[in-house]
Amino acid sequence: MQSQSGSVGPYGSVSAAVGTDISRAAEVLRAGGLVGMPTETVYGLAANALDVRAVAKVFAAKGRPTFDPLIVHLADLSELSRVVSHVPAIALQLAEVWPGPLTLVLPKADCVPDLVTSGLPGVGVRVPAHPMAQQLLRTCGCPLAAPSANPFGGISPTTASHVLEGLGDRLDYVLDGGPCRVGVESTVVSLMGGVPVLLRPGGVGPERLRELVGEYETARADADLDDAAQPAPGMLSRHYAPRTPLRLIAAAERAVPSPGLRSGLLTWGPELEISGFDRIFRLCSEGIPEICAAGFFAALRDLDSAGLDVIIARKFLDVGLGVALNDRLRRGAAGGTQ
Ligand code: TXA
Ligand code: MG
């Protein structure tokens, strides 16, 4: 993408500047502005985590409810004590994957504004692996609070163009680090109790997690409770959702279009006899979850903008990153009508 200069408007710019200028991005952050930041998972909407006014802008720009806390990004493990008051031994075991797609919820230090953690005693922290995110964190010198850089509830961005499409009028600069390598958000694990609790499946699959910590618990959403009253924040029933209704089929089910509806198909695996779809997106013919994950959100966006009445998506095998992809599919389909 070409470097563009952007122009000034109510949120700072009408359409944000895009480029690879790390010093400029760091300057924006130090001045309390918002930057679209590439990470290995998805792009983040970054602000200085210790500047409450900048953090408030993140919630406003995304339209995100303040009961859903933000992840704080650090340049490396040695910075943990800046934002965390106590580091249990198990955290160091898990931090073996850093830099990488894992977020740990740990007791927060007083300097972290309550707005970042939605008033909770724990702060979510991670060290992202993308070289540009690393450089940005080192250059700006502050921890960065960053949710995924999409309007609340929508499809996560995996390119700088996706960020501009959703939030281009609400941020000051987008660092273009190319397409995200992992393509699905970080795994979130809480270490606030005795046993690690998986709050969100993500870029570190369950097998690897078990290798790192042995047993762990999994937080389950309670269907009888409102989103704000769930056992952990972020367990929102409908999320990661395209505007087009999304219908899921089992991994081995035959895909057929919905009668009378313009139907799109999101699939993986070998080419089977598929007919009658208006648009087909095949992620990986071998069905390798890591390859499927890298193209997943871009494929959903493509299908969502194709003027379809329904998107039919094949569930992934429940291994590795397939677990996270199925979680996103389920939540993307929740509340849909087709
Ligand atoms: O890969 C990622 O995690 C990306 C990149 C940008 O780092 N970020 C991301 O952020 O996906 P977001 O805000 O879209 O999702 C963060 C999730 C939410 O489900 C939130 O509820 C949970 O992490 N979370 C953050 N802080 C928490 C805390 N203090 N306690 C419990 N859950 C927390
Ligand atoms: Mg998100």
Side-chain angles (χ1 to χ4, degrees), residues 4-337:
Q4 297 160 9
S5 58
S7 47
V8 176
Y11 283 97
S13 48
V14 168
S15 182
V18 187
T20 55
D21 186 343
I22 296 202
S23 315
R24 177 170 174 183
E27 221 168 276
V28 166
L29 290 165
R30 279 194 298 259
L34 303 184
V35 167
M37 167 177 75
T39 83
E40 78 281 28
T41 56
V42 300
Y43 274 70
L45 173 60
N48 178 352
L50 306 181
D51 175 347
V52 74
R53 296 224 302 225
V55 172
K57 286 191 204 168
V58 171
F59 283 95
K62 260 190 85 106
R64 178 172 176 125
T66 50
F67 62 73
D68 196 2
L70 306 182
I71 295 172
V72 173
H73 298 70
L74 304 172
D76 62 57
L77 177 61
S78 67
E79 295 205 316
L80 202 52
S81 56
R82 282 182 78 180
V83 294
V84 163
S85 64
H86 167 67
V87 182
I90 196 161
L92 298 177
Q93 243 166 277
L94 281 158
E96 211 180 282
V97 303
W98 284 348
L102 177 68
T103 295
L104 298 178
V105 180
L106 291 162
K108 87 175 190 73
D110 290 342
C111 65
V112 178
D114 286 332
L115 185 59
V116 170
T117 65
S118 303
L120 294 167
V123 59
V125 283
R126 90 173 185 98
V127 176
H130 195 293
M132 261 192 183
Q134 292 259 328
Q135 264 179 289
L136 180 63
L137 283 156
R138 293 214 160 85
T139 309
C140 73
C142 50
L144 295 176
S148 53
N150 52 282
F152 181 68
I155 301 173
S156 296
T158 52
T159 66
S161 308
H162 296 165
V163 177
L164 284 176
E165 264 165 49
L167 297 174
D169 60 342
R170 289 147 201 232
L171 39 68
D172 302 295
Y173 189 67
V174 180
L175 257 187
D176 186 355
C180 300
R181 177 172 56 79
V182 176
V184 67
E185 300 87 345
S186 63
T187 300
V188 182
V189 174
S190 172
L191 298 176
M192 295 298 286
V195 183
V197 181
L198 175 67
L199 301 182
R200 177 179 72 180
V204 173
E207 303 82 0
R208 178 84 178 107
L209 205 52
R210 227 166 278 125
E211 267 172 29
L212 288 164
V213 290
E215 286 314 300
Y216 60 87
E217 289 175 3
T218 301
R220 303 250 171 243
D222 186 334
D224 294 332
L225 295 178
D226 289 346
D227 283 341
Q230 289 298 331
M235 308 197 99
L236 311 177
S237 44
R238 185 166 165 78
H239 209 76
Y240 310 100
R243 293 176 305 270
T244 315
L246 180 63
R247 191 164 75 70
L248 309 187
I249 58 172
E253 195 173 331
R254 188 175 143 74
V256 287
S258 292
L261 296 180
R262 279 177 57 81
S263 306
L265 177 65
L266 178 62
T267 190
W268 51 270
E271 197 124 353
L272 300 171
E273 245 186 69
I274 291 170
S275 60
F277 284 95
D278 288 275
R279 193 170 182 85
I280 297 177
F281 212 114
R282 187 181 308 277
L283 287 166
C284 166
S285 52
E286 287 83 36
I288 298 164
E290 285 66 27
I291 297 178
C292 292
F296 175 74
F297 281 129
L300 259 189
R301 276 170 189 268
D302 172 286
L303 289 163
D304 199 23
S305 57
L308 301 164
D309 299 318
V310 60
I311 300 169
I312 294 170
R314 182 178 302 290
K315 285 195 222 161
F316 299 86
L317 298 177
D318 260 321
V319 291
L321 298 200
V323 176
L325 296 180
N326 285 337
D327 168 78
R328 307 305 187 264
L329 279 182
R330 262 193 304 277
R331 293 207 255 171
T337 52

